[in-house]
């Protein structure tokens, strides 16, 4: 029996796609940099079906690439033949348990559906990112996604209590614990989180829930200079404690590109300013006076010359408008032409020094280059994206991709930072990881991979070669 026949016997005709045009949604690569191709797309609807598909592939040592929402930005879902295992039919929310503050879900669920299911029970699932309307929780788990709530709630790794995983030999590992305390040896679930589908297929997860925020206040502060951002962050954290939920940096160029290319992006200030901070405080208490708290912060910041102006979101629509400025920066950059992206982190205390020095180095290498550093400054996570000079072709600019990677990543590593703060390694950053990671790190990673997936069928060529 051919593999296609075996998979059709397991999943039925509707669960198997071999027609290339029908496969297109599963071959999508968000950045349009490479092309994915598969012999078969398998769409299992239960853990047992995933297990049977993996067993069938393991018999013939056929590679398997898991595909969630295909919003990953590092080429993690690129297949080179073999089987794509799409998780879109693993889409059941099994239980929302407000007493245990957990939800148990299949990993093909779309992130926003999980947020909504939690909200229906007056709970919060705090993972939130620009792609939340299309990314799936299995992809979030496998990339250890970050997003805008990390400052307060941690990244995906911090939001998981248990997992169920289909291993490369088809065996089902049941680690679907809902316990907050469990010290029984190695924490195996953490191996699969951030593994980008290289160690197995995550089929179910138990996720942590939190009290739903009942008061939210969102402010955009205009800053006179980059240095002000860390001063404002420090004061906000000191005075607001863990009510501070998001603290994002936006540079003027990010605002300008948004206004130019994205309908609905509006500058909320009359004057222009070099940088902005988007700040959000939340509280589980109804009518909590967060406004006075942030006003105290801003009064001090005005006195110290750290803030030049500030606007409050007075309605949910205004809150969305302020967030739109931040969320649409990557799309606006793409419309402006070539964009070389770096999703990096450095210690929070070094963020300003990093942005200043990186901008100097890239401008020395290419006068006219337009750095657009934005993002989760409160986590030390900067999207250090470079927009092409206006007088250069996109092709000529993108041809210098590796040169700028080296400039930026050398500085990141010198500052004890990470070359991948959020998106993982996938295929695009594999050589960069090999370049910067210690031999010990790489050999430990290889040992883990060899132990769990000795035939290298799970997402081969990703993270390590
Ligand atoms: C507009 C936009 C904004 C974004 N903002 C952020 C952000 O703020 N923070 C952030 O971290 N990321 C961000 N991303 C990147 C992306 O959304 C995340 O990496 C997300 O977690 C990917 O989820 P996905 O379902 O699309 O995964 P996919 O792209 O489908 O897959 C990602 C990786 O996970 C593997 N995988 C998927 N499902 C499974 C599974 N069930 N078992 C095992 N492996 C699996 C895949 O093989 C692949 O290696 C953004 C992307 C876009 C387009």
């Amino acid at each position: 029996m051919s593999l296609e026949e075996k998979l059709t016997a397991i999943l039925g005709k509707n669960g198997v796609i071999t027609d290339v045009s029908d496969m297109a949604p599963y071959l999508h690569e968000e950045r349009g940099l490479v092309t994915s191709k598969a012999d078969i797309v398998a769409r299992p609807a239960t853990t047992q079906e995933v297990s049977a598909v993996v067993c069938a592939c393991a018999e013939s040592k056929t590679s398997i690439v898991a595909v969630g929402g295909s919003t990953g930005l590092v080429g993690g879902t690129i297949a080179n033949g073999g089987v794509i295992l799409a998780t879109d039919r693993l889409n059941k929310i099994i239980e929302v348990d407000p007493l245990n503050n957990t939800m148990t879900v299949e990993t093909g669920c779309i992130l926003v559906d999980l947020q909504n299911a939690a909200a229906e029970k007056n709970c919060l699932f705090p993972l939130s990112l620009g792609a939340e309307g299309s990314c799936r929780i299995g992809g979030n788990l496998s990339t250890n996604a970050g997003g805008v709530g990390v400052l307060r709630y941690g990244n995906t790794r911090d939001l998981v209590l248990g997992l169920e995983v289909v291993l490369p030999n088809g065996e089902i590992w049941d680690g679907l614990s809902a316990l907050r305390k469990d010290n029984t040896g190695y924490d195996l679930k953490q191996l699969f989180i951030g593994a980008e589908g290289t160690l197995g297929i995550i089929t179910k997860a138990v996720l942590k829930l939190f009290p739903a925020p009942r008061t939210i206040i969102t402010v955009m502060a205009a800053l006179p200079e980059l240095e002000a951002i860390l001063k404002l962050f420090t004061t906000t954290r000191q005075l607001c404690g863990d009510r501070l939920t998001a603290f994002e940096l936006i540079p003027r160029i990010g605002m300008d590109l948004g206004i130019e290319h994205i309908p609905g992006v509006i500058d909320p200030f009359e004057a222009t300013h070099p940088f902005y901070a988007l700040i959000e405080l939340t509280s589980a208490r109804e009518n909590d006076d967060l406004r006075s708290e942030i006003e105290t912060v801003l009064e001090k910041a005005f006195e110290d010359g750290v803030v030049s102006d500030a606007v409050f979101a007075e309605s949910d629509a205004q809150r969305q408008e302020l967030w739109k400025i931040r969320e649409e920066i990557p799309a606006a950059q793409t419309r402006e032409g070539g964009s070389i992206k770096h999703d990096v982190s450095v210690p929070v205390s070094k963020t300003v020094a990093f942005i200043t020095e990186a901008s100097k180095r890239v401008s020395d290498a290419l006068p006219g280059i337009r750095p657009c550093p934005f993002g989760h400054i409160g986590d030390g996570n900067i999207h250090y994206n470079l927009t092409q000079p206006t007088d250069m072709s996109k092709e000529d600019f993108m041809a210098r991709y590796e040169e700028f990677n080296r400039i930026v990543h050398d500085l990141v590593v010198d500052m004890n930072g990470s070359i991948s703060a959020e998106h993982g390694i996938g295929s695009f950053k594999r050589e960069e990881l090999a370049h910067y990671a210690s031999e010990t790190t790489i050999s430990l990673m290889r040992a883990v991979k060899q132990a769990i997936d000795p035939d290298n069928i799970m997402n081969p060529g990703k993270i390590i070669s």
Side-chain angles (χ1 to χ4, degrees):
M1 223 197 245
S2 71
L3 183 59
E4 182 186 335
E5 287 164 340
K6 283 185 194 168
L7 298 190
T8 307
I10 297 164
L11 302 176
K13 277 215 160 96
N14 290 338
V16 175
I17 304 172
T18 49
D19 180 85
V20 179
S21 55
D22 292 342
M23 280 187 197
Y26 305 95
L27 304 177
H28 171 79
E29 195 276 290
E30 184 69 24
R31 299 186 49 199
L33 296 177
V34 282
T35 315
S36 183
K37 60 174 193 301
D39 300 320
I40 303 170
V41 173
R43 298 177 63 229
T46 64
T47 299
Q48 284 64 34
E49 287 184 358
V50 173
S51 166
V53 167
V54 173
C55 276
C57 292
E59 273 170 27
S60 55
K61 296 192 171 54
T62 302
S63 65
I64 305 168
V65 178
V67 170
S70 297
T71 67
L73 298 173
V74 290
T77 55
I78 299 305
N80 187 17
V83 169
I84 280 182
L85 192 150
T87 61
D88 52 356
R89 291 171 76 208
L90 293 164
N91 58 4
K92 283 187 271 312
I93 297 174
I94 298 163
E95 185 188 29
V96 181
D97 180 351
L99 267 187
N100 199 43
N101 270 314
T102 50
M103 78 197 309
T104 306
V105 304
E106 291 184 335
T107 50
C109 292
I110 290 180
L111 176 55
V112 83
D113 294 337
L114 301 187
Q115 295 167 351
N116 291 339
E120 275 170 27
K121 303 266 176 154
N122 286 323
C123 294
L124 172 74
F125 180 56
L127 183 65
S128 174
L129 46 133
E132 62 198 24
S134 44
C135 63
R136 296 176 191 272
I137 191 67
N140 303 143
L141 290 159
S142 300
T143 57
N144 184 27
V148 293
V150 174
L151 191 56
R152 178 146 172 199
Y153 299 101
N155 49 29
T156 305
R157 196 180 285 288
D158 302 306
L159 301 175
V160 183
L161 292 176
L163 291 183
E164 176 191 81
V165 181
V166 173
L167 301 173
N169 62 2
E171 210 178 317
I172 300 168
W173 174 63
D174 181 359
L176 208 58
S177 161
L179 300 174
R180 277 158 208 275
K181 289 191 154 184
D182 179 7
N183 280 342
T184 49
Y186 301 134
D187 189 352
L188 294 175
K189 69 175 178 296
Q190 294 296 350
L191 267 183
F192 298 98
I193 300 171
E196 301 182 50
T198 62
L199 299 179
I201 309 292
I202 306 175
T203 43
K204 292 190 185 112
V206 180
L207 306 168
K208 289 186 198 169
L209 299 180
F210 296 81
R214 291 189 175 76
T215 313
I216 301 178
I217 192 130
T218 310
V219 177
M220 186 172 281
L223 312 178
E225 55 183 7
L226 178 60
E227 286 67 21
I229 191 91
L230 275 185
K231 293 178 192 157
L232 182 60
F233 174 62
T234 306
T235 314
T236 315
R237 206 166 48 171
Q238 276 168 354
L239 296 185
C240 304
D242 72 356
R243 289 153 191 264
L244 177 59
T245 310
F247 194 96
E248 301 280 314
L249 172 72
I250 299 168
R252 181 68 213 175
I253 184 178
M255 179 84 81
D256 281 338
L257 294 179
I259 292 165
E260 189 173 341
H261 296 293
I262 311 287
V265 171
I266 301 156
D267 186 345
F269 299 98
E270 281 181 10
T272 57
H273 302 271
F275 288 94
Y276 305 88
L278 182 59
I279 307 167
E280 195 155 274
L281 307 187
T282 61
S283 164
R285 285 165 48 185
E286 202 97 46
N287 302 321
D288 208 347
D289 194 5
L290 298 178
R291 185 148 187 148
S292 335
E293 276 189 42
I294 196 70
E295 276 173 355
T296 309
V297 170
L298 292 172
E299 273 164 28
K300 183 170 173 11
F302 277 118
E303 275 168 28
D304 296 347
V306 165
V307 164
S308 320
D309 201 354
V311 291
F312 284 75
E314 302 291 355
S315 64
D316 194 49
Q318 284 181 7
R319 175 175 177 255
Q320 305 299 338
E321 281 173 17
L322 293 183
W323 272 105
K324 191 175 172 78
I325 297 168
R326 158 65 185 84
E327 299 288 9
E328 294 288 356
I329 294 175
Q333 272 197 295
T334 304
R335 290 188 204 163
E336 183 69 7
S339 174
I340 298 180
K341 297 178 195 293
H342 305 93
D343 172 47
V344 298
S345 63
V346 292
V348 176
S349 53
K350 293 186 180 170
T351 46
V352 167
F354 166 75
I355 293 171
T356 308
E357 180 60 22
S359 301
K360 183 181 172 307
R361 291 190 190 182
V362 297
S363 300
D364 285 349
L366 179 60
I369 195 168
R370 291 174 288 166
C372 181
F374 67 96
H376 322 299
I377 202 98
D379 311 317
N381 176 192
I382 299 148
H383 299 301
Y384 192 75
N385 291 358
L386 302 169
T387 291
Q388 66 172 78
T390 45
D391 58 355
M392 193 174 190
S393 76
K394 181 175 176 181
E395 292 66 35
D396 287 350
F397 182 62
M398 296 310 282
R400 295 180 68 173
Y401 202 99
E402 286 177 14
E403 177 191 342
F404 285 106
N405 275 187
R406 184 64 66 244
I407 293 172
V408 173
H409 290 161
D410 275 357
L411 182 61
V412 165
V413 172
D414 280 352
M415 290 187 158
N416 300 319
S418 167
I419 62 162
S420 180
E422 284 201 316
H423 301 150
I425 296 297
S427 45
F428 297 166
K429 285 192 171 178
R430 192 185 68 185
E431 302 315 320
E432 289 297 279
L433 180 70
H435 182 80
Y436 289 107
S438 71
E439 269 179 43
T440 312
T441 300
I442 296 289
S443 66
L444 274 172
M445 286 191 185
R446 278 198 216 290
V448 171
K449 173 77 173 166
Q450 173 67 23
I452 296 177
D453 182 20
D455 290 324
N456 191 23
I457 62 166
M458 285 290 169
N459 213 357
K462 310 298 163 25
I463 305 182
I464 45 173
S465 53

